[in-house]
Amino acid sequence: MFSWLNDLINRFIDWVHYRTGIKDIVKEQITEYRVPPKLNKWYSLGGLSLFIFGLQLVTGVLLLVYYVPSTDSAFASIQRIMLEIPYGWLVRLSHAAGSHMMVVIIMLHMVSVIFMGSYKKPREMTWLSGCALITLTLAVCFTGYLLPWSQLSYWATTIATSIPEPIPVIGPFLVKLVRGGDQINPDTLNRFFALHVIVIPAVMLALVGFHLFLVRVLGISGSRDSKPEDQR
Amino acid sequence: MTMFQKPKLPKGMRFPTFIMEDVLVIFIFMAVFCGVVFFFPQLIVFGDAEVPADPFNTPEHIKPEWYFLASYQFLKIIPSEFGALILMSVAALLFVFLPFIDRSKENNILKRPVFLTLVLVCIIGFVGLTVWGYLS
């Protein structure tokens, strides 16, 4: 009865395949891809951090709809999201809880990589991109912290941005560069907003792609069961 | 030099299985996550986070987030702030270049007591500094 639909779908897939070779990619990467049996649960932490990153992107975009990046209305807009907007509380709390969870899961992912020796040759570049990703995760948490413009965000950011001050010669300049002035001011909020919503997430997306590309190219690192001759 | 050859794996987990392994972990995570968001929201947003910013009123006991507490406490206990910054930068660099420093072929950490001790000292140091920073 629906064979015409089947036909149509097959013709569409063939059309795409002729132009991209999609069938071979699916075969190689999904249907005929094999993963070593008996992997422990630690191996799933990378996929889990990717999932949380996706969750943060979705909740972040939803928050962006109602958040106002100005010192006068930032806190009020967060109050509105929490109290007035339907399910705003859910989105906001998920975004805040997700940031903590992401740091926890990424740290566990890193500890498991160290314990299993997965950073070793030939996976140095995977490790380096992972280090960049964890730094950017902390940076995105740090910049997002100021955005609600609460007492906590204001003073925690004041303390944290004063850390480079003791560096000789360039220290005070660095502090001024991060803050966009001598104190935390409306410009600080705006530059942190720009970093938090577009610059850092965009770089992170690219790096996640590179990280995953390397994982696929090199295969999953040897679990304790795999023999040494598998890894030349 | 030829490229690294990915080991051939004729046997192993097939397509939906290896995805489902990750999905299982994601579901366990979501259970914990929803538990926190629905039943313990006061763990996420509390205290000074519920007061609008006031540049003329410094609250007492202001602390950074837990993941910055260790480095914050480290800066506090080292007398020279610049020295502490240099020590932290060196530690971060050593950490980033770990694959180039640790070139041993042995993957099993249990057969490398010195490295295992170093890793455990680092983890205990991080957790200890975090707890110290939280309590002080």
Side-chain angles (χ1 to χ4, degrees):
Chain A
M1 190 173 152
F2 286 109
S3 63
W4 60 272
L5 187 63
N6 235 338
D7 255 23
L8 199 68
I9 292 172
N10 280 336
R11 272 178 62 191
F12 177 70
I13 292 174
D14 285 343
W15 189 89
V16 176
H17 176 69
Y18 182 74
R19 284 153 186 85
T20 57
I22 189 81
K23 280 184 183 174
D24 298 333
I25 296 174
V26 168
K27 210 166 153 186
E28 209 175 292
Q29 296 296 330
I30 300 175
T31 51
E32 288 190 4
Y33 190 76
R34 296 288 181 271
V35 170
K38 286 190 239 161
L39 287 181
N40 55 43
K41 287 282 169 281
W42 294 94
Y43 278 95
S44 296
L45 289 177
L48 182 55
S49 4
L50 180 64
F51 172 79
I52 306 175
F53 182 54
L55 204 68
Q56 292 300 90
L57 287 183
V58 172
T59 52
V61 169
L62 289 175
L63 284 175
L64 199 52
V65 176
Y66 289 104
Y67 174 74
V68 184
S70 91
T71 46
D72 294 331
S73 19
F75 192 81
S77 70
I78 298 284
Q79 291 296 90
R80 183 164 169 246
I81 289 170
M82 287 296 279
L83 301 172
E84 281 177 38
I85 311 294
Y87 296 102
W89 58 272
L90 179 61
V91 174
R92 195 266 170 120
L93 289 177
S94 298
H95 197 72
S99 73
H100 293 281
M101 302 273 189
M102 191 155 160
V103 177
V104 174
I105 299 298
I106 289 184
M107 280 181 175
L108 288 177
H109 181 46
M110 205 182 63
V111 168
S112 81
V113 163
I114 292 176
F115 270 87
M116 296 192 277
S118 311
Y119 53 85
K120 287 178 184 172
K121 190 181 166 187
R123 296 188 174 79
E124 295 96 329
M125 286 207 290
T126 324
W127 170 265
L128 289 178
S129 59
C131 282
L133 277 169
I134 196 166
T135 313
L136 287 173
T137 305
L138 292 175
V140 89
C141 288
F142 175 67
T143 48
Y145 210 59
L146 183 67
L147 300 188
W149 205 249
S150 67
Q151 271 293 71
L152 185 66
S153 12
Y154 186 91
W155 291 101
T157 310
T158 301
I159 293 175
T161 49
S162 68
I163 286 177
E165 193 126 46
I167 302 175
V169 189
I170 57 163
F173 169 74
L174 279 179
V175 174
K176 211 170 170 179
L177 182 74
V178 174
R179 287 183 184 165
D182 291 326
Q183 306 291 323
I184 305 277
N185 58 63
D187 290 342
T188 323
L189 181 70
N190 286 347
R191 63 182 60 201
F192 275 35
F193 178 69
L195 285 172
H196 184 79
V197 301
I198 182 68
V199 180
I200 303 176
V203 178
M204 279 179 82
L205 265 178
L207 273 172
V208 166
F210 181 63
H211 198 73
L212 286 175
F213 168 75
L214 285 176
V215 170
R216 268 295 156 103
V217 164
L218 298 170
I220 285 174
S221 74
S223 58
R224 210 171 284 163
D225 311 320
S226 71
K227 299 176 187 76
E229 59 261 31
D230 284 345
Q231 312 210 325
R232 271 178 290 269
Chain B
M1 196 171 164
T2 52
M3 206 200 135
F4 167 75
Q5 290 295 309
K6 181 156 64 174
K8 289 263 176 278
L9 298 160
K11 287 178 198 165
M13 283 192 274
R14 283 158 183 279
F15 158 54
T17 320
F18 62 78
I19 302 279
M20 293 322 277
E21 288 279 306
D22 283 6
V23 170
L24 171 66
V25 174
I26 288 173
F27 270 66
I28 295 170
F29 165 80
M30 280 313 279
V32 177
F33 181 80
C34 292
V36 172
V37 168
F38 288 110
F39 297 108
F40 303 100
Q42 70 274 18
L43 287 178
I44 310 167
V45 179
F46 58 89
D48 288 328
E50 290 173 318
V51 184
D54 180 2
F56 303 107
N57 174 22
T58 314
E60 287 173 46
H61 315 298
I62 195 85
K63 269 178 200 163
E65 270 304 340
W66 63 268
Y67 36 81
F68 293 128
L69 264 182
S71 40
Y72 180 66
Q73 186 64 18
F74 189 73
L75 280 173
K76 276 208 296 193
I77 57 173
I78 302 282
S80 154
E81 274 191 56
F82 183 52
L85 278 179
I86 289 184
L87 278 179
M88 277 195 333
S89 315
V90 169
L93 279 179
L94 284 178
F95 185 77
V96 167
F97 290 104
L98 180 63
F100 305 99
I101 297 162
D102 166 30
R103 304 183 70 94
S104 144
K105 286 211 165 65
E106 179 58 63
N107 267 353
N108 189 348
I109 198 164
L110 296 177
K111 288 182 189 158
R112 307 177 61 201
V114 179
F115 184 68
L116 179 65
T117 321
L118 260 173
V119 169
L120 287 180
V121 164
C122 287
I123 293 174
I124 293 168
F126 182 82
V127 175
L129 279 173
T130 305
V131 174
W132 188 1
Y134 180 77
L135 294 178
S136 66

